[in-house]
Amino acid sequence: MTTQALPIGMIGLEIRRLARNKRTLIFTLVMPAAFFLLFGSSAEYRTTRVGEGNLTGYILVSMAVYGAMLAATSGGAMVSIERAAGWSRQLRLTPLTPAAYIAIKIIVAMIVGAIAVVAVNVVGAFSGAELPIGAWIGCALLAWVCSLVFAAFGLFMGYLLPSENVMQILGPALAVLSFAGGLFVPADQLGSTFATISKFTPVYGVGELARYPLTHAGDVWLAVLNVLAWTALFAAGAMWRFRRDTARV
Amino acid sequence: MTLTASLETTAAVHLDGVVKRYGTVTAVDSIDLRIRPGEVVALLGPNGAGKTTTVDMLLGLTRPDAGTVTIHGLSPRDAVARGRISAVMQTGGLLKDYTVEETVRLTAVLFGKPRSAVKAALERAGIADIGDRLVGKCSGGQQQRLRFAMALLPDPDLLILDEPTTGMDVGGRREFWDAIRQDAADGRTVIFATHYLEEADAYADRIVLVRRGRIVADGTAAEVKALAAGRTVRATLPGADRIDWAAVPGVESSEVRGDTVHLHGRDSDTIARHLLTETEARDLEITSRNLEDAFLTLTAEDPA
């Protein structure tokens, strides 16, 4: 057999296709950076200290999480468009296994996620964000790795929603989840009830973990539990829909 | 090796008692079919006859509820994975934001074929000149030829075409079939589902007529026509009105107009032989009704 279990050559082609989609680019690369400049780079924020860095750095990490989240979700949600176009069915006429297809989708989602994290951080570096170098790398890596939960979320939604414009639903949904998870505004500023609810929403864990290298604050284990629980839940959901889908097609 | 064993190994397609149900609807109702390598077979039938379900089972996209499907002795999924069988589907199956060349390149990557195979497939499908065009900007005919290029890539033994010319204009249809014909001439087995009678008549060596999930006729275009409507043998024979035509072997109905007799029957050879050896008949003419008549007769709903 000349075919590979995981066709690496497919990844480059997929990235090339994604790069052609202007909406995806604006969504995942431009918007988080713009939000950072808008909400995080004021003179007041630059002088407010957070841990060993400044508040601008803190917002930078949050926006990196947001960017990675959007990228990973839209990467995963690509399955929706591909199912609607009959592409998944076409792929079933090739040696590509359904599991390898999902693996490719996740890898592509994570690559775009990495680009999104890098983009926000580069903008941040030139706009007054201050973090110790170790914390900077740690935050960026955690923001990226934790966005895996949203790759699973995107896949699940991609299988659940048959819409061609699935990101038009998921974009606002992610914004709401980001507010609920304290990514845009710290949850405890919005009252104690809200802060409690916040801990159970999917963005909370990712945000807390990604900011930990900078803040060294918050309950790390609760955040880890949050990320693991939501990843498991979304992955199980995606698996469930995926099985139904391949049984039918 | 026994004869049956050799048939078993050489059959391009073997369907054995295949049944597929969707809820209470039986889409395919016990189909037995054997197709030899190199045959060009039309799967002809009205919409909802079970053609697409049959095609899906050949490709392993749907599993039969009963019976077995083998492609060159392999399960459909194995045959697909090894590139022994490929298909041009009716619609969809393409992504708008890939270029033509990228789409074929991706297929090549999945089949582990080299870059050179991409160029060859594009050329064979006649779309090498539009390789850089986005799929979303291609016409229906161009997209269909792209699907054809993708199907050619694994160099399959068996090519399945599901309603391949739907939505093409006459010119596009012709070019498409020319490409397929040329391809089949090299020995590739081709099965195509269609509800265009002319296509089945013009391009298939063999027609399998399906109705309500069953095969109702199977043979060459001429045989299928004869099956439904029989043939008419016309001859000039003075004194034809004095003969009891109903007693002549093979004759199912007759009509005498002056010195001309029209005899209808499925076995036109026997009728002709009788006319030529037992009577003074001359100017014999044997005609079959067209495929459309056969199609309508064989696929008509039961009066029940």
Side-chain angles (χ1 to χ4, degrees):
Chain A
M1 287 297 302
T2 46
T3 49
Q4 303 156 301
L6 195 68
I8 304 300
M10 187 176 174
I11 296 170
L13 286 163
E14 287 281 275
I15 298 280
R16 223 158 113 174
R17 175 162 77 94
L18 259 177
R20 223 168 251 147
N21 190 329
K22 290 187 186 61
R23 190 188 294 173
T24 310
L25 286 184
I26 292 170
F27 239 115
T28 57
L29 300 184
V30 179
M31 220 169 73
F35 277 6
F36 162 74
L37 291 173
L38 213 58
F39 303 121
S41 62
S42 70
E44 187 198 336
Y45 280 17
R46 285 185 211 194
T47 49
T48 310
R49 305 307 295 173
V50 173
E52 292 163 63
N54 60 5
L55 187 53
T56 301
Y58 179 93
I59 306 265
L60 171 72
V61 178
S62 296
M63 287 308 143
V65 169
Y66 185 58
M69 201 167 94
L70 281 173
T73 305
S74 59
M78 276 168 78
V79 296
S80 163
I81 296 148
E82 295 177 8
R83 282 171 69 233
W87 180 246
S88 334
R89 192 180 155 89
Q90 180 69 42
L91 289 179
R92 300 257 290 149
L93 301 180
T94 72
L96 184 72
T97 61
Y101 171 70
I102 294 296
I104 295 276
K105 287 290 127 190
I106 293 175
I107 291 170
V108 169
M110 292 307 285
I111 290 174
V112 181
I115 296 170
V117 169
V118 169
V120 179
N121 277 289
V122 167
V123 171
F126 290 103
S127 311
E130 283 172 29
L131 294 93
I133 188 71
W136 204 317
I137 293 167
C139 290
L141 275 178
L142 281 168
W144 177 63
V145 169
C146 291
S147 67
L148 196 59
V149 59
F150 291 98
F153 174 68
L155 277 175
F156 182 25
M157 291 299 132
Y159 277 115
L160 202 62
L161 307 169
S163 153
E164 267 232 38
N165 299 315
V166 64
M167 275 315 284
Q168 286 178 356
I169 301 166
L170 294 184
L174 286 178
V176 170
L177 286 175
S178 297
F179 267 111
L183 196 65
F184 294 155
V185 183
D188 47 14
Q189 287 185 9
L190 299 169
S192 65
T193 315
F194 191 86
T196 310
I197 295 169
S198 173
K199 290 185 172 58
F200 295 97
T201 64
V203 178
Y204 174 83
V206 181
E208 285 288 296
L209 270 185
R211 285 183 304 240
Y212 187 78
L214 171 67
T215 59
H216 295 288
D219 191 338
V220 180
W221 295 112
L222 184 70
V224 170
L225 190 68
N226 178 299
V227 170
L228 291 179
W230 281 106
T231 306
L233 194 75
F234 291 144
M239 209 42 126
W240 164 59
R241 297 303 304 187
F242 164 74
R243 288 238 167 95
R244 275 181 61 143
D245 198 60
T246 48
R248 189 162 42 88
V249 175
Chain B
M1 190 155 60
T2 64
L3 184 63
T4 37
S6 89
L7 274 175
E8 204 66 52
T9 48
T10 55
V13 169
H14 186 198
L15 299 184
D16 187 11
V18 169
V19 175
K20 182 67 192 179
R21 294 183 202 90
Y22 292 104
T24 56
V25 180
T26 304
V28 169
D29 189 4
S30 187
I31 281 189
D32 297 300
L33 182 65
R34 189 186 283 280
I35 291 170
R36 290 178 297 276
E39 279 189 300
V40 178
V41 180
L43 212 52
L44 179 67
N47 288 327
K51 302 188 297 286
T52 297
T53 305
T54 305
V55 164
D56 282 357
M57 287 192 289
L58 290 175
L59 295 168
L61 294 172
T62 302
R63 221 183 285 269
D65 293 317
T68 55
V69 180
T70 52
I71 311 293
H72 287 285
L74 300 168
S75 76
R77 291 309 312 163
D78 281 348
V80 164
R82 293 185 194 189
R84 302 289 301 269
I85 180 174
S86 71
V88 177
M89 303 306 260
Q90 194 174 350
T91 51
L94 295 172
L95 289 176
K96 285 180 283 189
D97 36 13
Y98 267 133
T99 67
V100 168
E101 193 261 351
E102 282 169 352
T103 306
V104 179
R105 183 136 56 95
L106 178 59
T107 313
V109 165
L110 298 179
F111 279 106
K113 297 280 176 186
R115 258 300 192 23
S116 57
V118 174
K119 199 160 169 280
L122 287 170
E123 267 160 17
R124 281 192 92 154
I127 45 171
D129 53 328
I130 56 163
D132 293 332
R133 191 171 298 178
L134 282 179
V135 172
K137 296 214 158 64
C138 288
S139 73
Q142 287 168 336
Q143 290 190 356
Q144 198 62 338
R145 273 186 279 165
L146 171 56
R147 290 189 192 96
F148 180 45
M150 292 163 81
L152 284 178
L153 216 122
D155 193 18
D157 301 307
L158 171 60
L159 185 62
I160 308 266
L161 313 163
D162 189 12
E163 307 265 355
T165 57
T166 304
M168 278 193 201
D169 58 22
V170 181
R173 196 171 286 183
R174 225 193 142 92
E175 275 177 45
F176 182 79
W177 280 112
D178 284 346
I180 299 282
R181 283 300 273 191
Q182 203 183 338
D183 204 63
D186 300 338
R188 213 190 294 281
T189 315
V190 177
I191 301 174
F192 65 98
T194 184
H195 60 259
Y196 290 119
L197 299 153
E198 322 85 78
E199 279 189 353
D201 199 4
Y203 300 108
D205 304 329
R206 176 177 167 195
I207 293 175
V208 174
L209 200 56
V210 286
R211 179 185 72 123
R212 291 207 272 164
R214 287 175 174 273
I215 294 175
V216 290
D218 182 353
T220 62
E223 282 168 354
V224 170
K225 287 175 207 174
L227 252 182
R231 292 196 182 90
T232 300
V233 182
R234 195 201 62 82
T236 305
L237 180 62
D241 53 341
R242 289 193 299 272
I243 298 172
D244 176 15
W245 292 110
V248 171
V251 173
E252 285 163 23
S253 66
S254 63
E255 198 183 329
V256 178
R257 295 181 206 144
D259 285 347
T260 306
V261 59
H262 294 260
L263 303 171
H264 306 281
R266 288 169 194 230
D267 190 357
S268 56
D269 293 346
T270 301
I271 299 172
R273 191 170 295 115
H274 176 90
L275 284 173
L276 291 171
T277 57
E278 308 290 323
T279 74
E280 298 300 312
R282 55 195 161 82
D283 294 342
L284 245 70
E285 204 176 271
I286 303 176
T287 52
S288 55
R289 304 213 191 152
N290 64 23
L291 193 56
E292 187 151 353
D293 296 329
F295 183 69
L296 290 173
T297 310
L298 287 169
T299 61
E301 290 298 311
D302 297 327

